[in-house]
Amino acid sequence: MPRDLFSVQSDDDSPLTLTTSPESQASMASSQGGFNDLPIDKDAQSLTPAQLRNKGANISARNDLHPYVQTLSLADVDSCVALENAAFPETERCSREKFIYRLSACSELCLGLFSTSDPDAPASSVPTYKTARPTNSASPTKKAVLIAHVVATKCESKTVTDSSMECPPDWQSSASSSDTRGHQEQGRTIAVHSVAVLPKYQGRHLGRTTLKSYIQRMETAGIADRISLLAHQQFFKFYEELGFVSKGPSECQSYGGGWHDLVRPSVLRPKLCGAWLCRVPVAHLTDETKIYEFSEHKSSA
């Protein structure tokens, strides 16, 4: 289940360099002379030498991952299970069966943050290394190691429900349009069921970076009106900084209950005829009925 990703808080607030593929990593390394290009913040001059050394070590360790994001697929099931088992207590873990279902039914709603690693790299010691796939057949020792993921489905309600978290029985052999369990393709809410980061890499803004990238992708695709998830109250700050708003206690009793609904209304930007059609919510977030204004903005994208 979604939860705080930074139980080990970091003093480093500098942005994370995020590449988009192993190929782009190589070109970036060549053009920039390496990847240790994360800037020290403006207050660095006030830090003591020991604090500077610690900040620099944290930036270097984080940036040495050369992380990139890509859509998850059914081939990533074993890595998703390994990551979930490492990140969550047993009572809050997503089952292998549900991962198979979600990555089969709606993999486009699931995003992973990976690091290309060989047997001598730091990421080779993490639980997801053994399940990682080679980045290409020409370099079988280099693997795409899963560091973080966001896994979701779509639902028709405005918040995550117990039924949206279920796996429909016999989903592989039959599909019923009247079954409200699991992924609802016609739904306008993206229900996030898992936001996870390997414990070794928590506290390095990797979870924040992955979720930001996820939000941007979903809004650009224009496939939903909102993104919803469940969280415990002590973790509100993390999600509120990413635009989520608490809607109060959730009716969900899955995974032990005690959850709160958090919702982030989307700014939808489906590309249309060389322009971006922006759907912007202008009503107050607590209103039941959303009012939208439409305007076209030219984009060079």
Side-chain angles (χ1 to χ4, degrees):
M1 300 301 296
R3 67 198 325 239
D4 179 34
L5 304 177
F6 304 103
S7 56
V8 180
Q9 290 292 336
S10 168
D11 292 330
D12 170 39
D13 292 323
S14 54
L16 172 67
T17 297
L18 187 66
T19 59
T20 56
S21 68
E23 290 74 16
S24 64
Q25 294 172 14
S27 61
M28 185 181 292
S30 175
S31 62
Q32 298 183 357
F35 290 87
N36 295 324
D37 56 354
L38 295 178
I40 297 293
D41 63 63
K42 296 179 180 179
D43 298 326
Q45 293 181 347
S46 64
L47 300 178
T48 66
Q51 289 174 322
L52 283 171
R53 286 194 296 271
N54 181 65
K55 178 185 266 305
N58 186 53
I59 293 174
S60 178
R62 186 181 68 186
N63 214 26
D64 282 346
L65 285 173
H66 307 172
Y68 60 95
V69 292
Q70 66 183 30
T71 303
L72 293 169
S73 71
L74 194 57
D76 297 307
V77 164
D78 290 337
S79 289
C80 288
V81 173
L83 171 55
E84 192 87 354
N85 291 345
F88 297 117
E90 186 174 359
T91 55
E92 295 182 13
R93 294 172 188 167
C94 175
S95 67
R96 179 182 178 83
E97 179 188 18
K98 287 185 177 180
F99 273 123
I100 293 174
Y101 166 66
R102 291 165 182 168
L103 293 178
S104 298
C106 51
S107 62
E108 71 279 4
L109 301 179
C110 306
L111 186 70
L113 183 137
F114 295 82
S115 174
T116 299
S117 178
D118 57 42
D120 297 323
S124 64
S125 63
V126 301
T128 53
Y129 180 79
K130 292 182 179 180
T131 58
R133 296 176 291 136
T135 55
N136 58 71
S137 58
S139 304
T141 60
K142 288 189 177 296
K143 295 185 174 184
V145 181
L146 185 63
I147 304 298
H149 70 214
V150 179
V151 177
T153 61
K154 289 173 70 176
C155 64
E156 294 187 304
S157 64
K158 293 182 179 180
T159 57
V160 179
T161 62
D162 284 320
S163 62
S164 70
M165 289 188 281
E166 292 184 29
C167 179
D170 302 323
W171 64 269
Q172 291 176 307
S173 58
S174 63
S176 172
S177 59
S178 61
D179 195 334
T180 60
R181 291 169 293 185
H183 176 62
Q184 303 294 308
E185 183 61 34
Q186 71 280 8
R188 296 298 299 175
T189 297
I190 294 175
V192 174
H193 303 299
S194 180
V195 180
V197 178
L198 285 173
K200 179 177 179 178
Y201 296 112
Q202 291 178 9
R204 301 184 186 182
H205 294 271
L206 294 172
R208 186 186 306 274
T209 298
T210 306
L211 197 49
K212 278 186 176 180
S213 180
Y214 183 83
I215 292 169
Q216 182 181 28
R217 285 181 175 224
M218 295 301 107
E219 290 186 342
T220 298
I223 58 176
D225 297 333
R226 65 193 66 82
I227 301 175
S228 298
L229 54 80
L230 301 175
H232 292 302
Q233 193 168 5
Q234 62 265 38
F235 305 137
F236 282 4
K237 182 179 179 182
F238 169 77
Y239 292 108
E240 287 172 347
E241 289 176 350
L242 292 171
F244 287 88
V245 178
S246 173
K247 297 296 184 179
S250 172
E251 295 181 0
C252 288
Q253 297 302 312
S254 300
Y255 301 95
W259 302 101
H260 284 70
D261 290 313
L262 277 80
V263 178
R264 186 187 194 280
S266 293
V267 178
L268 307 182
R269 296 188 178 93
K271 195 171 183 179
L272 181 63
C273 300
W276 290 99
L277 184 62
C278 299
R279 190 181 187 188
V280 184
V282 295
H284 193 274
L285 296 179
T286 57
D287 288 349
E288 282 298 320
T289 303
K290 298 292 188 296
I291 304 173
Y292 294 90
E293 292 179 346
F294 291 83
S295 60
E296 287 191 353
H297 299 274
K298 293 295 181 180
S299 171
S300 59

